């Protein structure tokens, strides 16, 4: 993990999922494709949707798509390493697109539950150092910081911003 790479485009994600489904004897449906494209939509890249939030986004495009379809498609995306589930303190599982070779950490506003993604090389180096000191080779990690904004919250759409 480390350096940033290009974001997976919705069409690429669809192809990866299609191959995974085929390997597992499943078919790509129009609804699975729509859920995948909505999840990987660059306009929503910074969001970390719950199943419910993604369901509402997909239903706005096609009201025939059911909640269970969105849930199962996110599960399939997770199984083929295209999505990562996380909990950020609001007691809900949120999902974000996985980007091969890309890594970032999260800062969560405890006032609005907004999530800011960030990268910090110094933190990355410290984690490597700690792992080595404890006798480990770091293969992956997730870091989530929680805090109160000292001024106006930087999260777009924050409910507490003035």
């Amino acid at each position: 993990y480390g350096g940033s790479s290009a974001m997976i485009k919705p069409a690429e994600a669809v192809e990866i999922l299609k191959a995974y489904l085929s390997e597992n004897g499943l078919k790509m449906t129009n609804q699975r494709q729509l859920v995948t494209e909505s999840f990987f939509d660059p306009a929503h890249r910074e969001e970390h949707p719950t199943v419910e939030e993604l369901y509402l986004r997909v239903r706005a495009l096609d009201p025939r798509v059911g909640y269970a379809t969105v849930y199962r498609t996110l599960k399939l995306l997770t199984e083929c390493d295209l999505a990562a589930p996380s909990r950020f303190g609001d007691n809900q599982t949120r999902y974000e697109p996985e980007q091969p070779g890309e890594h970032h950490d999260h800062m969560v506003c405890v006032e609005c539950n907004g999530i800011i993604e960030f990268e910090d090389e110094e933190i990355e180096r410290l984690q490597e150092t700690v792992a080595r000191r404890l006798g480990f080779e770091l293969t992956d990690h997730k870091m989530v910081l929680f805090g109160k904004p000292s001024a106006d919250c930087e999260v777009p759409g924050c409910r507490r911003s003035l």
Side-chain angles (χ1 to χ4, degrees):
Y1 62 97
S4 209
S5 68
M7 303 284 178
I8 290 181
K9 293 177 178 61
E12 291 174 84
V14 166
E15 288 308 311
I16 293 167
L17 179 60
K18 208 180 278 186
Y20 176 81
L21 292 170
S22 178
E23 287 167 18
N24 289 278
L26 300 167
K27 287 187 169 40
M28 175 60 90
T29 64
N30 290 338
Q31 292 187 346
R32 282 180 178 153
Q33 182 166 337
L34 182 62
V35 172
T36 303
E37 289 169 347
S38 297
F39 184 64
F40 280 89
D41 181 346
H44 298 282
R45 169 68 188 110
E46 297 301 315
E47 296 174 15
H48 299 72
T50 62
V51 174
E52 174 77 14
E53 290 165 350
L54 184 58
Y55 166 69
L56 294 173
R57 192 188 313 161
V58 171
R59 262 190 78 95
L61 302 170
D62 183 349
R64 297 168 300 176
V65 178
Y67 184 90
T69 299
V70 174
Y71 176 84
R72 286 193 302 265
T73 303
L74 273 174
K75 188 173 181 335
L76 290 166
L77 290 171
T78 300
E79 287 172 12
C80 68
D81 296 325
L82 284 172
S86 296
R87 288 183 173 253
F88 293 107
D90 61 356
N91 213 20
Q92 295 190 68
T93 301
R94 296 185 167 279
Y95 294 83
E96 68 178 314
E98 283 282 31
Q99 303 295 335
E102 189 265 358
H103 172 77
H104 60 263
D105 296 306
H106 298 94
M107 179 80 216
V108 179
C109 174
V110 296
E111 302 214 345
C112 75
N113 288 321
I115 302 163
I116 299 172
E117 296 179 353
F118 70 93
E119 295 175 33
D120 187 303
E121 287 305 316
E122 188 176 351
I123 289 173
E124 298 303 313
R125 280 193 300 279
L126 282 170
Q127 290 172 129
E128 292 281 352
T129 301
V130 169
R132 273 195 308 278
R133 188 177 337 127
L134 296 173
F136 286 85
E137 178 184 331
L138 198 59
T139 58
D140 196 10
H141 77 276
K142 291 185 187 294
M143 185 171 73
V144 182
L145 303 174
F146 297 87
K148 266 186 176 170
S150 48
D152 277 348
C153 181
E154 295 290 318
V155 178
C158 173
R159 292 186 293 276
R160 73 177 276 286
S161 292
L162 305 173

